[in-house]
Amino acid sequence: MSISGRDIAIRVEDLSKRFRIPLDRSSTLKHRLTHWRSASRYRTLEALRDINFEVPAGEFIGIIGHNGSGKSTLLKILSRIYRPDAGRVTIKGQVSPFLELGVGFNPELTARENIFLSGAILGLGRAELHHRFDEIIGFAELEQFVDHKLKNFSSGMEVRLAFSLAIQAHAEILMMDEVLAVGDASFQQKCFDVFAGYKREGRTIVLVTHQLPAVTIYCDRALLLDHGRLVADGSATEVTAQYRRAIGLADDGSKLGPEIDRWGSRDVVVTGVRMLDERGEADENPMSGGFARVELGYEIQNDAVSEFTCVVWLVRGDGLVISEARLAVSQYAQAGSSQRGSAGTIRYDIAELPLLDGTYGVNVELQARRDGATFDHVEHAIRFRVIDRGGRRGLIEPGGVWSVVPSEQPVVSWPDQFASTQQ
Amino acid sequence: MSAGADAALPTEAAGSAPQRATFRHYRHLTLELAITQFKLRYTQSALGYFWSLLKPALLFAINYLIFVDLFKINDGTQFYGIQLLLGIITWTFFAECTASSMQAIASNAGLIRKAYFPRSILVIAASLSSLFTFLINLVIVFVIAVLLHQIDIGVRIVFVFPLLLELYVLALGISLFLSALFVQYHDVGHLWDVLMQLLFYGSGVMFSLTYVLQRVHLALAIGQTTEIHNSHFAWIVEVMACNPIMQTVEDLRHALLTPVAPWTELVVTGHLAAVHQYATLDAPWLAPAPFVVVILVVTIGALTFRARARSFAENL
């Protein structure tokens, strides 16, 4: 049946989508009747422009891009929820009708009733749901809550139920929008196990997410959207790297983040933050394992404040906090010197930067020593890109030591129950 | 074994098999949604489903007390009380069905923005859940009719089904039209409230068409009305005769509650007979008019819905 080895599951040709956003919000009948002559005023938003790509059957493809880049719109067009304004979308195979977890859940219904209702939306028959009911409930670990109303569930329980139901779908093509955004670490691990299973079964998966590591690990390929245009289409590693660089560059302008990412009483303010190399020169591209210094300027604006705590966090591009370091600063400490002033510089030196290739940021905060009240907090005060010569992926370099011990027979073997599943 | 992996891919299904599967899926979804909605209507109330029986019974009691007991009104037909009850539950179905189905799209915004399925399923499900209540109520009327008046339901019950279908199709057509417009213009909700008030009086719920026609006759006979009044009256009667709700109510009454329906007298003639009885109204075209109205309404409703359905997800 296939000519080139693999069938094309999704083909998108010259796809464009515009949204018309009414400038005057009153869209009542009266308004339409009284203003029928004057054409309604709209602002046109070009959500997608001339998108072209193909997805072979069985491929796991990730769609990334900043908020408002058109990722979700594209996914909705692929799932037939939105209609394209121009271009063509050809899809071969059954598409799952779900975009997010828990669609169709009703808080007034019990877990059992919700499984049958939401399952119906997924395309599962009643007999089939009966047959798999125990499996669904078991996977969600909700055996004791089968006949409890959903409104009494914690959000975690609800997500588990939604997920264990969603994975029952037979669809050959699965569309998923930010399913990873919910749930704790163990839930995300479950997601990935299921994804891996899908991949083995040869299902086609389109995943929209902000979680770049997930894209690099699980996706064969990634698309990068920017302002409605497809700006990159290639291997997941390359495209996510390009996106990381794009984010890093976009915020290159000022050292201080925008006002919206800054808060506090301003009794003591951060006057600036920069990153330096060992020669004391500004360097926002430190080497993995190399020297890096974060330098922070402060100024006390309220004379009643004589001591404060300085906190420096290293964060990943997506906001994940990697480390936290604190320093108590007291003006009395400087009293001996002639330099008793109301301003100064705080340095935080890292001798061997334990971060791997990627874009990171620094959050800083000056807070009251007594109660931790915030004087000045600056989110993403600076961004920096770590370069790893070896091109290693990941987050940290744990400083592990390698060794090899040869032997006649294998010494380390799998646990018994695991060994049978191998092969 | 990459070749093996390829072979394991589900081969693209050809022919009508997937279409049948899709149809089954949508039918199942429609029923599941309808049943859920029916259930939800009665959750959080102590009496539960019992309300679906209690409500028309109480409405009946109120109307019976006011019209039959207090004002001694009787439209001349036999068993006015049970006729009134049948009229009330039929009207309640129509009113509830259109009012709740109108919101079927707007109140399911989350579902529409996040999952794909034919949008009409939501409206059909909402209308079906009203139909369930109606069917339960009808059974109650049967039981009362048999117990109280020894009416022999027998084979006549067969005639009820085409009438129910007609009324349901009408309600669905209106629901499709209203729900599609309601997404953008909530005005139609208020407009429909007012229109229903008018429809109620024009649907012969309280008085049969026969009663209205008799009154007109009487007025003419004793010279209480002028020719101008009469032409005015005739116009109203003509419009009422076109009303499919009035026709179904009349015919349901005729089919179920006329003491002994002679076999020669077809069920639908309940309405026809009344129209023809009105001698001064020489308008044979009125007989099929209600059916034409139903077909027109459902066509316009379905076309309006189809044209607007594609942009629901964006407009909600």
Side-chain angles (χ1 to χ4, degrees):
Chain A
M1 191 155 289
S2 53
I3 301 153
S4 58
R6 282 172 121 188
D7 283 329
I8 297 299
I10 302 170
R11 174 177 286 132
V12 173
E13 295 159 281
D14 304 319
L15 175 72
S16 291
K17 177 75 189 169
R18 282 181 293 277
F19 287 114
R20 295 201 308 162
I21 300 157
L23 287 174
D24 29 13
R25 260 285 14 140
S26 60
S27 60
T28 61
L29 203 59
K30 173 188 162 244
H31 184 85
R32 270 295 277 269
L33 289 176
T34 49
H35 292 73
W36 64 279
R37 276 171 162 276
S38 60
S40 300
R41 291 187 308 148
Y42 287 102
R43 191 166 61 86
T44 304
L45 180 78
E46 299 232 22
L48 292 172
R49 274 181 270 189
D50 301 323
I51 307 286
N52 283 284
F53 66 91
E54 283 179 356
V55 183
E59 193 169 66
F60 197 148
I61 188 164
I63 303 178
I64 55 176
H66 59 83
N67 287 331
S69 60
K71 305 186 295 287
S72 293
T73 305
L74 177 57
L75 201 65
K76 282 183 175 179
I77 289 175
L78 294 181
S79 333
R80 292 203 286 171
I81 290 172
Y82 287 167
R83 294 195 163 239
D85 288 320
R88 217 155 61 134
V89 175
T90 320
I91 291 185
K92 208 148 108 189
Q94 207 193 342
V95 181
S96 86
F98 261 24
L99 279 180
E100 287 172 28
L101 291 178
V103 171
F105 271 13
N106 189 312
E108 289 296 333
L109 297 176
T110 64
R112 183 193 302 278
E113 290 165 330
N114 268 307
I115 286 178
F116 284 102
L117 177 63
S118 196
I121 301 172
L122 269 179
L124 297 162
R126 220 177 160 81
E128 193 171 13
L129 285 167
H130 268 297
H131 181 66
R132 299 208 205 164
F133 189 81
D134 290 338
E135 188 188 330
I136 296 168
I137 284 292
F139 191 85
E141 299 161 26
L142 292 171
E143 289 89 345
Q144 285 134 15
F145 304 95
V146 173
D147 292 307
H148 284 57
K149 283 190 179 178
L150 199 69
K151 63 179 175 187
N152 299 323
F153 278 33
S154 73
S155 59
M157 290 158 80
E158 194 176 324
V159 165
R160 290 207 304 272
L161 182 64
F163 187 73
S164 68
L165 182 62
I167 59 174
Q168 300 288 337
H170 304 297
E172 296 146 41
I173 303 171
L174 293 121
M175 310 274 180
M176 287 177 285
D177 194 358
E178 287 297 355
V179 289
L180 301 169
V182 289
D184 54 16
S186 81
F187 172 76
Q188 293 203 350
Q189 189 52 51
K190 263 185 169 177
C191 284
F192 290 142
D193 291 346
V194 170
F195 288 167
Y198 283 163
K199 242 174 128 165
R200 274 198 304 276
E201 290 165 23
R203 301 209 220 183
T204 312
I205 306 172
V206 183
L207 175 72
V208 162
T209 184
H210 280 292
Q211 309 231 332
L212 299 184
V215 175
T216 43
I217 295 167
Y218 289 94
C219 295
D220 305 311
R221 201 173 124 204
L223 305 179
L224 173 58
L225 292 181
D226 184 30
H227 293 97
R229 288 185 192 280
L230 181 60
V231 294
D233 176 356
S235 83
T237 322
E238 284 168 23
V239 175
T240 48
Q242 183 177 343
Y243 180 51
R244 284 201 178 96
R245 278 196 299 278
I247 310 175
L249 286 175
D251 285 10
D252 213 11
S254 63
K255 299 268 188 221
L256 279 178
E259 195 66 17
I260 198 157
D261 285 326
R262 187 172 182 176
W263 63 87
S265 63
R266 305 282 170 106
D267 290 319
V268 186
V269 296
V270 178
T271 56
V273 181
R274 55 185 178 167
M275 179 162 272
L276 307 171
D277 63 11
E278 57 265 69
R279 292 187 305 270
E281 284 168 21
D283 178 13
E284 295 194 350
N285 295 311
M287 289 291 170
S288 182
F291 176 90
R293 165 180 289 174
V294 177
E295 214 169 60
L296 178 153
Y298 70 88
E299 187 176 2
I300 298 173
Q301 303 205 323
N302 179 350
D303 292 340
V305 177
S306 57
E307 52 180 10
F308 58 90
T309 307
C310 173
V311 194
V312 171
W313 292 277
L314 295 185
V315 298
R316 199 167 63 184
D318 62 0
L320 174 90
V321 176
I322 300 164
S323 70
E324 175 178 302
R326 295 170 167 272
L327 174 72
V329 181
S330 167
Q331 275 201 286
Y332 303 123
Q334 303 166 346
S337 76
S338 56
Q339 292 278 321
R340 184 191 155 84
S342 61
T345 304
I346 298 167
R347 286 174 178 159
Y348 177 56
D349 289 354
I350 305 164
E352 288 177 29
L353 191 65
L355 300 175
L356 292 179
D357 205 283
T359 305
Y360 301 88
V362 176
N363 298 350
V364 297
E365 179 170 306
L366 303 179
Q367 52 181 228
R369 277 195 73 183
R370 190 175 302 159
D371 57 2
T374 304
F375 289 147
D376 194 4
H377 181 107
V378 187
E379 194 84 356
H380 284 297
I382 43 172
R383 283 179 189 275
F384 59 97
R385 178 164 170 76
V386 176
I387 294 166
D388 182 68
R389 284 210 184 85
R392 294 172 299 177
R393 289 195 285 137
L395 181 62
I396 62 159
E397 164 55 75
V401 181
W402 289 101
S403 56
V404 179
V405 185
S407 64
E408 289 290 318
Q409 293 289 321
V411 174
V412 185
S413 60
W414 295 109
D416 286 344
Q417 82 276 16
F418 192 43
S420 58
T421 63
Q422 288 298 304
Q423 212 22 275
Chain B
M1 282 269 294
S2 68
D6 271 347
L9 280 174
T11 49
E12 54 171 311
S16 62
Q19 265 175 2
R20 234 179 301 137
T22 311
F23 176 75
R24 247 205 332 268
H25 162 208
Y26 291 149
R27 192 186 53 194
H28 170 59
L29 174 59
T30 310
L31 277 177
E32 203 67 44
L33 283 167
I35 292 167
T36 304
Q37 214 164 333
F38 183 76
K39 269 194 227 164
L40 284 174
R41 193 171 292 180
Y42 300 107
T43 53
Q44 299 259 325
S45 56
L47 295 178
Y49 298 114
F50 193 56
W51 270 116
S52 65
L53 310 177
L54 201 59
K55 232 160 78 181
L58 290 174
L59 281 175
F60 168 63
I62 293 169
N63 283 290
Y64 194 86
L65 276 177
I66 293 174
F67 290 97
V68 181
D69 241 36
L70 196 66
F71 290 112
K72 306 287 182 213
I73 288 177
N74 191 318
D75 71 350
T77 48
Q78 267 182 294
F79 317 134
Y80 177 64
I82 193 96
Q83 302 258 24
L84 182 59
L85 177 58
L86 182 57
I88 287 173
I89 64 156
T90 310
W91 172 259
T92 308
F93 159 68
F94 177 79
E96 257 184 31
C97 178
T98 50
S100 70
S101 308
M102 175 165 51
Q103 319 225 354
I105 300 298
S107 63
N108 281 301
L111 208 51
I112 285 175
R113 277 199 300 255
K114 282 163 191 171
Y116 175 77
F117 52 85
R119 305 323 190 184
S120 54
I121 282 182
L122 289 170
V123 182
I124 296 172
S127 59
L128 277 181
S129 104
S130 297
L131 187 66
F132 294 158
T133 313
F134 183 39
L135 291 178
I136 294 173
N137 291 337
L138 268 183
V139 173
I140 303 298
V141 175
F142 287 2
V143 172
I144 296 178
V146 172
L147 291 182
L148 240 62
H149 303 300
Q150 279 82 47
I151 285 174
D152 155 47
I153 298 289
V155 79
R156 296 190 291 180
I157 201 163
V158 176
F159 295 115
V160 171
F161 293 108
L163 292 170
L164 291 184
L165 184 70
E166 185 196 346
L167 187 65
Y168 176 71
V169 168
L170 174 77
L172 181 62
I174 292 174
S175 302
L176 285 172
F177 182 78
L178 292 176
S179 62
L181 290 182
F182 190 76
V183 169
Q184 270 181 300
Y185 309 109
H186 280 30
D187 311 62
V188 294
H190 305 292
L191 205 60
W192 185 241
D193 278 350
V194 178
L195 263 175
M196 279 220 283
Q197 207 42 240
L198 185 68
L199 256 179
F200 176 75
Y201 291 109
S203 297
V205 176
M206 313 300 293
F207 315 102
S208 69
L209 183 59
T210 321
Y211 175 70
V212 176
L213 297 175
Q214 279 168 353
R215 290 294 293 247
V216 174
H217 263 301
L218 194 68
L220 279 172
I222 58 173
Q224 258 184 8
T225 177
T226 62
E227 277 305 306
I228 296 166
H229 264 115
N230 186 34
S231 70
H232 197 61
F233 246 126
W235 184 80
I236 293 176
V237 170
E238 273 179 30
V239 172
M240 279 173 84
C242 292
N243 178 356
I245 307 169
M246 171 165 243
Q247 175 249 318
T248 41
V249 168
E250 288 273 288
D251 286 340
L252 273 174
R253 282 171 174 160
H254 188 76
L256 282 175
L257 304 172
T258 316
V260 183
W263 267 108
T264 49
E265 199 182 321
L266 281 175
V267 165
V268 204
T269 54
H271 178 68
L272 290 188
V275 172
H276 286 301
Q277 213 179 354
Y278 186 48
T280 54
L281 195 70
D282 184 26
W285 57 269
L286 276 179
F291 307 107
V292 176
V293 170
V294 170
I295 291 167
L296 269 178
V297 165
V298 79
T299 309
I300 294 172
L303 289 179
T304 309
F305 191 88
R306 208 178 62 167
R308 293 185 156 256
R310 58 190 61 185
S311 56
F312 282 163
E314 293 160 38
N315 289 332
L316 277 169

